[in-house]
Amino acid sequence: SIAAFSTGDIAALNSSAIVGLSTAVMAALTSDQVKALTTSGIVGLTTKQVAALNTVQIGSLSTTQIAALSSGQIAALPTADIAALSEDQIAAVSTAGIIGLSTDQINVLSTDQISALSTAQISTLTSKQLSVLDASDFTAFSSADIAALSSDAIAALSTAVVGSLSTEQLASLSTAAIAALSTDQIAALNVAQVGSMATEQVNALTSKQVAVLGTAHISAMTTNQIAALSTLGIKGLTTGDIAVLT
């Protein structure tokens, strides 16, 4: 019986022996036995074996063991296991492991877990993964995290998320990210957000983007922002917009 194995016995098992363990045996391991698995033993686990581990067993894994999990192994974890990961464990997931997270797994992450993600981990999130995060989730993103997102990832954000970004978060967007925003996303920006945009960001706005800004947004823009509009951006101004310029 696996229960008779000491932690030393477990640590002494080679990867071939570990792979040979049934899912029933894996599920029967104590937390101490799970903690005794070597890094090579963790790497050798099949996705079925990983999926067989319960939340208590997963919670007992060290950050070194968590870091050893592959994208496939991470993807195999039930959402309950993902939700139970500590902040230190989440922070230890490799960037490859982050890529392995499904949208269902991303969806169960708490704000504290999201806050624990590094900028490097955040930068690997795909458009599909980001699409399931809501405005409250994005409060956990630092300006550096936002800046690390690709233009494609930014373009995939919901209008609710874009409209909820703080002025500091919005200021961290690159000009390429600004140019990639859809007209719906631009229209979701509030007056304070538009007023906080750097001149470089304003210059990146297309005529279609400028056209969906309301007169309240245009009238709130500084003279430096108006002067920063590109020739194409100017073409997006409506007669109503021009009328409110002073």
Side-chain angles (χ1 to χ4, degrees):
S1 171
I2 195 67
F5 280 52
S6 68
T7 53
D9 294 333
I10 295 293
L13 294 176
N14 59 35
S15 56
S16 296
I18 294 292
V19 171
L21 298 178
S22 69
T23 54
V25 167
M26 290 299 300
L29 293 174
T30 66
S31 295
D32 286 338
Q33 287 175 319
V34 170
K35 284 190 288 187
L37 291 170
T38 63
T39 302
S40 60
I42 292 290
V43 171
L45 292 174
T46 66
T47 54
K48 288 184 178 180
Q49 287 176 313
V50 170
L53 297 174
N54 59 45
T55 55
V56 174
Q57 290 171 311
I58 291 295
S60 70
L61 291 173
S62 69
T63 53
T64 300
Q65 290 173 311
I66 290 288
L69 293 171
S70 68
S71 59
Q73 291 172 318
I74 290 290
L77 291 173
T79 54
D81 289 348
I82 295 294
L85 291 174
S86 70
E87 293 168 39
D88 286 341
Q89 287 178 313
I90 282 288
V93 176
S94 67
T95 51
I98 293 294
I99 293 172
L101 290 170
S102 69
T103 52
D104 286 340
Q105 290 173 315
I106 291 285
N107 205 35
V108 299
L109 293 176
S110 68
T111 303
D112 287 340
Q113 287 176 313
I114 293 172
S115 293
L117 293 173
S118 68
T119 299
Q121 289 173 312
I122 293 288
S123 69
T124 65
L125 291 173
T126 65
S127 300
K128 189 175 181 180
Q129 289 172 315
L130 288 166
S131 69
V132 300
L133 296 178
D134 59 27
S136 63
D137 294 323
F138 271 83
T139 61
F141 281 54
S142 68
S143 295
D145 294 336
I146 297 292
L149 297 176
S150 68
S151 297
D152 287 342
I154 293 294
L157 301 183
S158 70
T159 54
V161 166
V162 172
S164 72
L165 294 176
S166 69
T167 53
E168 290 79 11
Q169 288 175 318
L170 186 66
S172 68
L173 293 180
S174 67
T175 53
I178 291 291
L181 291 173
S182 70
T183 52
D184 286 340
Q185 289 174 313
I186 290 290
L189 296 174
N190 59 47
V191 171
Q193 288 174 308
V194 172
S196 72
M197 291 176 69
T199 53
E200 293 83 2
Q201 291 176 312
V202 171
N203 182 257
L205 293 172
T206 66
S207 59
K208 289 182 178 180
Q209 289 174 318
V210 171
V212 297
L213 291 174
T215 53
H217 296 83
I218 299 298
S219 64
M221 292 177 76
T222 66
T223 52
N224 286 338
Q225 285 179 310
I226 293 296
L229 285 170
S230 66
T231 303
L232 288 176
I234 291 291
K235 290 181 179 179
L237 292 173
T238 65
T239 53
D241 293 333
I242 294 173
V244 298
L245 294 177
T246 57

